[in-house]
Each structure stands twice: as structure tokens, then as C-alpha cells.
Amino acid sequence: MRYFNYLLAFSLLTASSASSQAKLSLEPRLGYGSFEMGIMKEMQMNIIRSTRVNAQATDSFSPYYQFGGNAVYNFWKHFNAGVFYEFGSTGGRVDYEDYSGNLRMDTKLNYNAFGILLFGQKVIAQSKISGVGGIEISKISTKVNAHSHFRIDTQIQTEDQAFSAKGKGYKAYAGVQYPVFIFPVRFTVGYMHDKTGDFFDPDDPEVYVVYSEVYSQRLKPDWSGLRLNLSISVPIIK
């Protein structure tokens, strides 16, 4: 038992040393963010007006979680660069029901982002806490799935549609980093600016989605918004 304790203590000290000098780290990340989605919300209001009943938006592209990971290389003491992947989603729902029937229209969006990240870090007042600041630049691929369900008495009609959009994202952030056991944990707050184009038919990229027939306005997402991120650094190469 004593030998096991010595071995465990030695392993922790070795890992701690490796983490402080790690050149390459893998970092699972968890985020939470808000989304502008101005045109999507306008489209949702158009749907409500067109139903001519007292339909309600029970969900309107609310803030939600993001998941992903980083591969980070420490080029020198205060500068890091790497690549990252992130998945995020949100959605909207219009709902109505009375004695004669019901309608429900769900709009579910998700994105996959691949990009590069650059950040610097510096110890604050000789403590274990480091200040962090950086940027992320990514390519964003968005998919939207629209499902509609209508029932009038015994007659039921459903429809499903799917569209895609592509664009770029730019995020600036700042935060702090603190070692928890042998793993540096980083918490950041930032703002992501999304430059995604219009939704198009994946089978025919020349066909775009119009949400207002009167003004021929095209539908597109906007993932811009506040971002909170938490990542844990796992040393790979010393």
C-alpha cells in the first residue's frame, strides 16, 4: 500500500511537471452562448401572422450549449496557437391548438465550426492565475431542418425541409486560467461575429430560401452573440 502511495505521488508530480512544460495539449471545451438570429425571428413572426389564428412562439432561437475541442501548441512562454472544432444548436417553435385541430412548426438549426485559435497568457501577480486573451477564426457550416404539422379534424398534413448555409465566424475573448490538480482550466468570455450567407437547397445551390414573398427576402442564420467557454488542457507532448 505504501509503495502504491509513493507511485501515485510520483506520477502526479511527473504529470504536473509535464503539464507546466507541455508543448502540445488537447482540450475538450464546453460553451454557452446567445444568438442574434434576427432574420430567423422575423421569419417566425411572418409564420404567426400568416396562420390567422392565435399561434404563439413557444421557443424563439434561445441561448444554448456548444461542445467541441482544441489542439493547442505552445510556441513560446506566453503565446499559443492551434485548431478547434465546435458544434452548436438552437431552434424555434410556433404552436397552436384548439378543439378543431392544431399546428406546430419546428425550426431546428445546428452548426459545425472548424478554425484556428491564437491566444496569449500571463501570470497575474506571481499567483497561479493567468490572464488570457485571444481570437478564433472559423469556417461555419449551418443546417436547418423545418418540420410542420397541421391537423384539422381528422385530416393531417406534415412536411419536412432541409437547407444549408456557409460562412465565417470571428471571436475575440478574454478570461483566466487556473491549474486544477494537474490540468490547466481556462474560462473565457467573448463575442462571436458571424458572417454566414443565405440558406440554399443542398441539392441545388442556386436555389435560395425566401421567407417574404413580397420583398423576396432571403433567409439566413446569424450565430453572432455572447460566448462563455470552459476548457480543460490535457498535456500530450512535453
Side-chain angles (χ1 to χ4, degrees):
M1 184 67 179
R2 182 178 298 177
Y3 172 77
F4 175 78
N5 290 336
Y6 286 148
L7 181 62
L8 178 61
F10 177 76
S11 299
L12 289 173
L13 288 172
T14 303
S16 179
S17 174
S19 68
S20 63
Q21 302 176 34
K23 298 297 289 183
L24 178 65
S25 299
L26 296 182
E27 302 179 348
R29 60 190 271 175
L30 172 67
Y32 187 80
S34 61
F35 315 113
E36 290 288 341
M37 295 294 171
I39 292 179
M40 298 300 298
K41 293 175 182 178
E42 187 176 340
M43 177 270 298
Q44 193 175 53
M45 293 307 298
N46 285 349
I47 291 173
I48 292 174
R49 286 191 291 266
S50 68
T51 61
R52 299 181 181 180
V53 294
N54 190 28
Q56 300 292 324
T58 57
D59 195 356
S60 190
F61 309 100
S62 304
Y64 203 63
Y65 295 99
Q66 297 96 46
F67 308 92
N70 308 328
V72 177
Y73 189 83
N74 176 236
F75 281 91
W76 56 284
K77 187 175 181 180
H78 300 301
F79 178 73
N80 304 271
V83 296
F84 75 94
Y85 164 76
E86 186 174 79
F87 172 85
S89 62
T90 188
R93 169 173 288 179
V94 173
D95 200 17
Y96 175 79
E97 185 172 4
D98 63 18
Y99 68 92
S100 63
N102 70 286
L103 69 86
R104 173 173 291 179
M105 304 184 72
D106 290 329
T107 308
K108 299 178 181 179
L109 294 92
N110 65 69
Y111 73 84
N112 290 277
F114 298 89
I116 61 172
L117 55 85
L118 306 168
F119 69 92
Q121 62 188 70
K122 190 174 182 180
V123 174
I124 300 174
Q126 298 182 342
S127 66
K128 291 184 178 181
I129 301 175
S130 297
V132 177
I135 59 171
E136 293 180 355
I137 303 173
S138 61
K139 285 191 173 183
I140 300 175
S141 177
T142 301
K143 291 185 178 180
V144 59
N145 291 284
H147 172 77
S148 58
H149 172 92
F150 300 91
R151 180 180 65 83
I152 301 176
D153 294 326
T154 59
Q155 297 182 352
I156 297 175
Q157 179 180 345
T158 61
E159 184 178 9
D160 291 280
Q161 294 178 300
F163 303 99
S164 301
K166 297 185 182 298
K168 295 179 181 179
Y170 307 89
K171 185 176 81 170
Y173 60 88
V176 294
Q177 181 171 292
Y178 185 83
V180 177
F181 298 108
I182 63 172
F183 305 108
V185 177
R186 188 165 62 254
F187 175 76
T188 63
V189 179
Y191 183 85
M192 203 277 276
H193 178 62
D194 177 27
K195 295 287 290 182
T196 296
D198 304 322
F199 279 117
F200 60 87
D201 186 338
D203 296 325
D204 187 351
E206 297 300 319
V207 176
Y208 292 91
V209 183
V210 175
Y211 74 95
S212 175
E213 296 290 348
V214 177
Y215 301 106
S216 298
Q217 293 172 306
R218 293 180 178 180
L219 188 67
K220 67 178 181 179
D222 187 355
W223 296 103
S224 299
L226 183 68
R227 294 292 189 274
L228 307 178
N229 281 97
L230 183 68
S231 59
I232 302 175
S233 182
V234 180
I236 300 300
I237 298 178
K238 183 176 177 181

